[in-house]
Amino acid sequence: MTGHTVTDTPHDHPAAARGTAGVPASARRRVLSGVAVIVTGLVCALAWGLGAHAGDAVLRLSAVGDGSPILQIRVPGRQAGLVLGAVITLLGAWQLARGFSRRAMRAVSAVVVGCFVLAFLCWAGTGQPGTPVSVFGLLQQSIFAAIPLILGALAGILCERSGVINVAIEGQMLTGAFTAALAATMAQHAGAGIVLALLAGGLMGLLLAVFAIRYAVNQIVLGVVLNLFALGLTSFGFDLLMQRDPDAYNNPSVLAPLKIPLLGDIPLLGPLLFDANILVYITYVLIIGVQVSLFHTRWGLRTRAVGEHPKAADSVGVKVRATRYRNVILGGLVAGLGGAFLSIGAVGAFGAGMSNGKGFIALAAVIFGRWSPRGAVGAALLFGFADALQTLSSAITMPVTIPSAFLSMLPYLVTFLAVAGLVGHVRAPAAGGVPYMKG
Amino acid sequence: MKLELRTITKRFGSVTANDRIDLVVEPGEIHALLGENGAGKSTLMNILYGLHRPDEGQILIDDAPVSFGGPGDAKAAGIGMVHQHFMLVPVFTVTENVMLGHEPTKGLAFLDRRRARRRVTEISHRFGLEVPPDAVVADLSVGVRQRVEILKALSHDARLLVLDEPTAVLSPQETEQLINVIRTLRDAGTSIVFISHKLREVCRIADRITVIRRGAVVGTADPSASEGELASMMVGRPVRLTVDKVPAEPGEVVLDVRGLSLVGDDGVVLVDDLTFSVRGGEIFAIAGVQGNGQTEVTEALVGLVKPTTGSISVAGRDLGPLSTGEILDLGVGYVPEDRLRDGLVGDFSVAENLVLDLYDKPPFARSGALDLARIEADATARVREFDIRPPETTRAAGTLSGGNQQKIVLARELSRPLKLLIIAQPTRGLDVGSMEFVHRRIVAERDRGTAVVLVSTELDEVLGLADRMVVMYRGRIAGEVPAGAPAERIGLLMAGSAPDDQAAVPPGDVASAGVR
Ligand SMILES: Nc1ncnc2c1ncn2[C@@H]1O[C@H](COP(=O)(O)OP(=O)(O)OP(=O)(O)O)[C@@H](O)[C@H]1O
Ligand SMILES: [Mg+2]
């Protein structure tokens, strides 16, 4: 609690005018993050700049073999690393000396991460100078890997913003994946798969809601149990039906990409974002929809109130339990959709336990994204990028052979730094995990 | 609006919080509810507001029976309520808090923040309750939060307004302002139910007074009744409203504060170069309007915040390198201002809360294990001594009435050997009977040789208890006042105007005056 005189704003306070003695905590954070950015910049310049071989790196920005014009840029790798490192270092120095505003700092962190990654790619391209590095492929794969994570994270946000912790995203996705494959095969129609995946996820959500809200079961334990339940159920179904007769039960076709006219023709962005399957477009809509409604609609305000201080919400007539039910079920629907993407959106078949921890990574994205859709998308993209990097290392020869395990760790490390140092501390919805009981 | 409550009964397990209560509030009437801590006032009002369901009884509005499924229904029926404990979402802005539940929208359910903000400024001007509409509530002081809470209740044009201890955290000026607001509303035809433990303001403002004891109505009183009459009606025995004490016999210096300054995160100087010392066996009071740095001083004294500059020592030991736990182990007792947040774990039982900072030491722990029988016996004794109601040590502390929660913290801190007692707003939210008791306990603690630092915004309390006192204004000591100085002098200092005679020592001389 701040202690200035009740009727005064801090600026009227005579003591404020007299200046400050000592270093307040915000200044300390500024110094820390400034130093962190400078170190990142120096690492960038040293490793990716000086560590690069002589010669040019070629970065390809277009897909290969689809007839579209080839788009590639050629940059001297060493110089690129040094310049990008210098840019990062300068940003860090500015933060250290003057400090960016909170809002500007978000953009700055994005630029820092972007520069660092770009420098890395230039460095990687000098391993065999002249051989193109497919930046397009890398980005495409990142997005592809990020989509289910984003849907899972949105599911988590919907639940947790209303005060119910959702550890069961994994199970909800798995159920969705199973149902989508089964329904799409049996009905011979992808739409049936999507609809039933939604329903299956929603049902899992309902199960979570009933036990968490009505019976006040510990939500972490409940989530774990639901995950095991989903794993058992889908594996059983897989053995019973899909293994025996894959053609009749597990042979959905992969959702076909739909190219959006005009938008799909934009160089680089078009093929990257607007030539994908229907689930990807639904994801775009959901991202914007959840972000906007959470912060700008009546539903969003009430949801957040219920997640922060249910008693206060109740005292002004907001129905706490109803709000939570609705949000948890909505979350289940969205997670089910994420599951559908795994089976009929990407692979074209269900495999036992195919969610493979993605639900938990989505949960991490919720936290790293500070419970906001925008942040979670950023985090999910970083995780997606981690996935894509591993394949890159096997596709090209780098100046130094980096173990792929290390490569896949790198983006997590960057995320960790970004969250710990640059974004500030994370705060979960205050009433998360606490059931609401009335006297 | 005419309100009638008929034979309302509410039981929580073995406790009958309301026992066949009848109450009639006429249109345009200010009806005060008086009662001890735990008498059932808040419960009754929560029933009226739809937060609790009555076990028996009926609510009639304008002579028609109504039944509320939840606060939404009560709101729709024209009832507004300011709750005893804040019902504000800390991460929301003032505007968001005020509009929650009846948000103005445009288009497809989009929030119309502009309109909501205009509404906030409009009613805040109309009633003279200034609030910053865009500030986040977590950043506001308690007094401003209370104003937001009141605005929230006013914002949907309630025809019956319930105010449950709205003045507990307000400064005298703010209370004055609130009383004016209430009168304006009354004159416009709004019915008011007003709950307070401050008898003087109840007598000033009420048209009618109903007294509740142990869940049942014991009678009604006229506002012209004396405070003493009301007090004994409430408590069921005569109550002394003044403090009895013999002159202090100060001993050695126990607490020595030199040049203490504290700077907040945002660079604002909260405490500015404070120097004072307190001897054993005396009560040193820090008076002042809420938010002038007193809270920060007490937090620094127990190591919850580290001084930006300056030093603090207790019985000759520098507190600089010590943690809060180590400081408390030196024999420092601490009763924080916001006891419900900083002094109590709501889900723990009363007994557990009573040993919260002692559980790991003898006699409550032996060779690493808790001695539960001992804890229980001790808790029972203290519950009896401090008259904590209901007298069940296994109950979750959070389910006790506001005043009884306060008593738990007081009982814990006042029941171990102390060298120094730091006590902030000791009687906030307590009924007159408990107040009398707590005052006696503080004086007894002093007489045992403990140095007492008392922080209070209540002028009567400070005047009654203090052996020496200073007034804090904007982080500084505005002046030291001898015991027995006239109240107006102190009031002036609290408002920031320098006195023109030697009733107060100018700030620079406080150090020498303090050490004597
Ligand atoms: N949710 C609850 N669960 C169990 N007991 C409760 C609950 N709420 C109130 N009580 C009990 O009901 C009784 C009346 O409490 P109430 O809060 O109405 O008192 P009050 O008159 O408002 O007191 P105060 O002046 O201290 O605020 C108390 O004994 C309290 O312990
Ligand atoms: Mg009460």
Side-chain angles (χ1 to χ4, degrees):
Chain A
M1 185 163 313
T2 56
H4 47 79
T5 320
V6 279
T7 46
D8 285 348
T9 64
H11 307 288
D12 302 336
H13 202 293
R18 258 182 273 137
T20 60
V23 185
S26 56
R28 203 164 18 197
R29 191 177 314 137
R30 197 192 74 213
V31 170
L32 274 179
S33 58
V35 169
V37 173
I38 290 178
V39 168
T40 312
L42 293 178
V43 167
C44 178
L46 285 177
W48 312 142
L50 296 182
H53 287 178
D56 288 352
V58 178
L59 304 181
R60 182 181 302 131
L61 299 177
S62 61
V64 250
D66 64 348
S68 55
I70 290 178
L71 211 76
Q72 54 189 25
I73 47 175
R74 179 178 278 274
V75 281
R78 182 168 288 169
Q79 285 82 336
L82 289 173
V83 168
L84 290 166
V87 169
I88 299 177
T89 311
L90 281 178
L91 286 172
W94 179 270
Q95 164 75 356
L96 188 63
R98 309 293 299 274
F100 290 101
S101 72
R102 259 242 161 93
R103 175 164 283 209
M105 200 55 206
R106 279 202 207 132
V108 170
S109 342
V111 171
V112 167
V113 173
C115 286
F116 191 87
V117 168
L118 197 58
F120 163 76
L121 292 175
C122 293
W123 169 84
T126 61
Q128 273 175 330
T131 321
V133 178
S134 176
V135 177
F136 176 83
L138 192 63
L139 292 178
Q140 193 179 37
Q141 232 175 336
S142 308
I143 293 175
F144 207 69
I147 294 289
L149 300 181
I150 292 174
L151 288 170
L154 289 177
I157 290 170
L158 284 170
C159 289
E160 302 207 356
R161 278 287 184 170
S162 75
V164 178
I165 294 177
N166 188 356
V167 186
I169 303 173
E170 175 84 3
Q172 295 171 344
M173 284 172 74
L174 195 58
T175 323
F178 175 80
T179 320
L182 188 68
T185 315
M186 291 176 70
Q188 298 280 315
H189 194 285
I194 295 176
V195 170
L196 279 166
L198 273 172
L199 285 182
L203 247 134
M204 287 292 286
L206 178 67
L207 219 54
L208 173 66
V210 170
F211 283 101
I213 302 168
R214 186 178 164 92
Y215 296 109
V217 176
N218 178 300
Q219 292 170 12
I220 309 279
V221 176
L222 177 60
V224 173
V225 171
L226 284 176
N227 284 335
L228 291 176
F229 171 67
L231 184 63
L233 199 67
T234 54
S235 300
F236 177 67
F238 182 70
D239 287 345
L240 195 71
L241 302 171
M242 297 178 162
Q243 285 279 60
R244 284 206 196 139
D245 191 351
D247 280 341
Y249 299 110
N250 194 14
N251 192 18
S253 43
V254 186
L255 289 174
L258 307 164
K259 186 169 169 184
I260 298 189
L262 289 175
L263 286 176
D265 295 326
I266 305 173
L268 184 62
L269 287 184
L272 207 54
L273 298 175
F274 301 111
D275 188 8
N277 68 45
I278 176 89
L279 289 176
V280 175
Y281 298 127
I282 296 181
T283 307
Y284 296 163
V285 173
L286 280 174
I287 294 170
I288 297 171
V290 176
Q291 172 79 34
V292 170
S293 24
L294 202 50
F295 296 103
H296 299 287
T297 66
R298 177 190 341 217
W299 166 81
L301 189 77
R302 292 184 172 190
T303 295
R304 287 182 292 136
V306 165
E308 289 288 342
H309 195 333
K311 217 165 167 186
D314 188 10
S315 77
V316 292
V318 176
K319 299 241 177 340
V320 175
R321 284 157 168 249
T323 307
R324 288 187 170 172
Y325 267 106
R326 193 171 50 204
N327 279 32
V328 174
I329 293 169
L330 264 177
L333 293 174
V334 174
L337 212 57
F341 185 86
L342 291 179
S343 61
I344 62 173
V347 182
F350 177 78
M354 79 181 302
S355 53
N356 195 20
K358 292 204 171 56
F360 293 109
I361 299 180
L363 200 59
V366 172
I367 298 165
F368 285 165
R370 313 173 94 202
W371 285 267
S372 98
R374 199 168 45 187
V377 168
L381 283 172
L382 261 167
F383 295 144
F385 189 71
D387 239 32
L389 262 190
Q390 275 167 293
T391 31
L392 180 79
S393 67
S394 58
I396 60 163
T397 320
M398 299 187 186
V400 179
T401 318
I402 305 177
S404 69
F406 177 80
L407 263 187
S408 59
M409 188 191 77
L410 194 70
Y412 292 97
L413 200 70
V414 174
T415 314
F416 175 74
L417 283 178
V419 169
L422 306 181
V423 188
H425 82 128
V426 210
R427 210 190 60 83
V434 191
Y436 186 64
M437 294 297 167
K438 271 182 104 150
Chain B
M1 175 193 288
K2 179 177 174 189
L3 169 76
E4 192 172 346
L5 299 177
R6 277 193 199 152
T7 61
I8 299 281
T9 301
K10 176 76 185 175
R11 292 180 206 93
F12 294 107
S14 60
V15 177
T16 307
N18 287 165
D19 187 7
R20 293 190 307 274
I21 290 193
D22 293 312
L23 183 77
V24 180
V25 182
E26 299 291 342
E29 173 184 75
I30 301 177
H31 197 120
L33 272 189
L34 277 183
E36 288 175 287
N37 295 127
K41 307 177 293 293
S42 301
T43 304
L44 186 66
M45 291 302 112
N46 286 337
I47 289 172
L48 166 62
Y49 195 62
L51 277 166
H52 289 322
R53 245 172 216 299
D55 295 326
E56 282 159 43
Q58 228 183 2
I59 302 172
L60 292 91
I61 285 178
D62 293 328
D63 297 321
V66 288
S67 163
F68 298 146
D73 296 345
K75 249 177 80 176
I79 301 178
M81 178 156 173
V82 173
H83 301 265
Q84 183 170 5
H85 305 304
F86 288 129
M87 291 289 183
L88 299 172
V89 182
V91 297
F92 281 10
T93 65
V94 169
T95 303
E96 285 171 335
N97 266 295
V98 172
M99 73 173 156
L100 184 66
H102 50 275
E103 305 85 350
T105 51
K106 56 185 180 196
L108 292 162
F110 284 104
L111 296 174
D112 191 344
R113 287 176 199 275
R114 183 128 29 105
R115 204 158 91 213
R117 192 179 186 286
R118 226 181 307 130
R119 176 95 181 120
V120 172
T121 2
E122 180 208 339
I123 42 178
S124 97
H125 284 329
R126 170 145 41 108
F127 295 107
L129 295 165
E130 291 304 324
V131 294
D134 301 319
V136 173
V137 163
D139 297 337
L140 299 176
S141 68
V142 201
V144 182
R145 283 187 210 199
Q146 185 66 70
R147 271 183 267 167
V148 176
E149 199 65 270
I150 296 165
L151 276 188
K152 214 172 91 180
L154 293 176
S155 71
H156 55 94
D157 300 316
R159 291 184 299 134
L160 172 85
L161 190 61
V162 177
L163 299 147
D164 193 353
E165 298 194 31
T167 58
V169 296
L170 295 186
S171 70
Q173 292 91 325
E174 288 171 321
T175 303
E176 209 50 45
Q177 213 176 12
L178 180 65
I179 288 181
N180 287 335
V181 171
I182 294 175
R183 290 202 171 124
T184 316
L185 285 168
R186 187 248 332 253
D187 295 341
T190 310
S191 315
I192 313 266
V193 179
F194 183 83
I195 299 176
S196 170
H197 290 296
K198 299 181 186 175
L199 299 178
R200 190 176 312 157
E201 77 196 19
V202 167
C203 289
R204 270 187 59 198
I205 190 176
D207 297 319
R208 217 138 55 94
I209 302 172
T210 295
V211 182
I212 299 179
R213 193 188 325 144
R214 295 183 190 241
V217 174
V218 292
T220 56
D222 204 64
S224 60
S226 76
E227 287 177 43
E229 282 165 20
L230 287 177
S232 49
M233 193 165 170
M234 261 170 70
V235 184
R237 62 176 166 87
V239 180
R240 295 196 69 95
L241 294 170
T242 51
V243 187
D244 277 336
K245 66 181 171 83
V246 294
E249 289 170 22
E252 295 290 300
V253 170
V254 173
L255 172 69
D256 198 23
V257 177
R258 319 224 133 254
L260 174 70
S261 291
L262 286 170
V263 179
D265 267 1
D266 45 4
V268 175
V269 179
L270 301 168
V271 175
D272 194 3
D273 196 18
L274 231 59
T275 296
F276 64 86
S277 58
V278 185
R279 291 167 183 269
E282 67 173 357
I283 299 176
F284 177 79
I286 302 177
V289 174
Q290 181 90 38
N292 276 289
Q294 307 98 309
T295 313
E296 288 76 10
V297 173
T298 58
E299 285 174 353
L301 291 182
V302 290
L304 284 171
V305 295
K306 287 289 166 202
T308 312
T309 57
S311 69
I312 305 171
S313 65
V314 170
R317 262 194 82 177
D318 180 28
L319 299 190
L322 300 185
S323 71
T324 299
E326 289 163 339
I327 293 174
L328 296 183
D329 286 347
L330 286 179
V332 176
Y334 175 53
V335 180
E337 172 187 336
D338 192 344
R339 290 181 266 281
L340 307 188
R341 197 189 64 195
D342 304 332
L344 206 69
V345 184
D347 289 338
F348 280 21
S349 73
V350 171
E352 284 164 336
N353 271 291
L354 281 169
V355 292
L356 213 48
D357 54 353
L358 299 171
Y359 68 93
D360 54 347
K361 301 185 186 67
F364 301 120
R366 269 188 322 208
S367 41
L370 296 182
D371 184 345
L372 293 178
R374 182 63 198 257
I375 290 176
E376 180 54 40
D378 193 77
T380 312
R382 290 197 220 163
V383 162
R384 191 170 321 122
E385 182 185 357
F386 281 80
D387 193 20
I388 295 169
R389 287 182 217 172
E392 293 166 22
T393 52
T394 50
R395 216 165 229 282
T399 68
L400 265 61
S401 82
N404 282 296
Q405 296 186 20
Q406 315 270 24
K407 288 197 222 165
I408 297 176
V409 184
L410 288 166
R412 181 180 66 223
E413 295 301 313
L414 288 175
S415 304
R416 60 194 176 104
L418 296 178
K419 288 200 189 79
L420 170 66
L421 172 66
I422 298 154
I423 187 163
Q425 319 297 355
T427 56
R428 172 173 290 174
L430 291 196
D431 65 49
V432 281
S434 314
M435 199 184 296
E436 176 198 22
F437 174 75
V438 168
H439 285 167
R440 270 206 323 249
R441 283 302 298 243
I442 294 174
V443 172
E445 198 62 45
R446 175 201 79 165
D447 292 343
R448 223 189 295 164
T450 308
V452 179
V453 175
L454 166 76
V455 172
S456 177
T457 53
E458 293 297 321
L459 213 49
D460 291 343
E461 180 162 286
V462 169
L463 286 171
L465 284 176
D467 298 313
R468 284 196 299 135
M469 64 189 274
V470 294
V471 177
M472 269 187 86
Y473 182 70
R474 299 198 161 177
R476 294 182 151 226
I477 290 180
E480 170 151 359
V481 191
E488 304 84 70
R489 181 74 48 213
I490 302 163
L492 276 177
L493 279 171
M494 283 169 78
S497 18
D500 46 4
D501 64 5
Q502 45 282 49
V505 188
D509 297 344
V510 171
S512 48
V515 180
R516 284 194 296 211

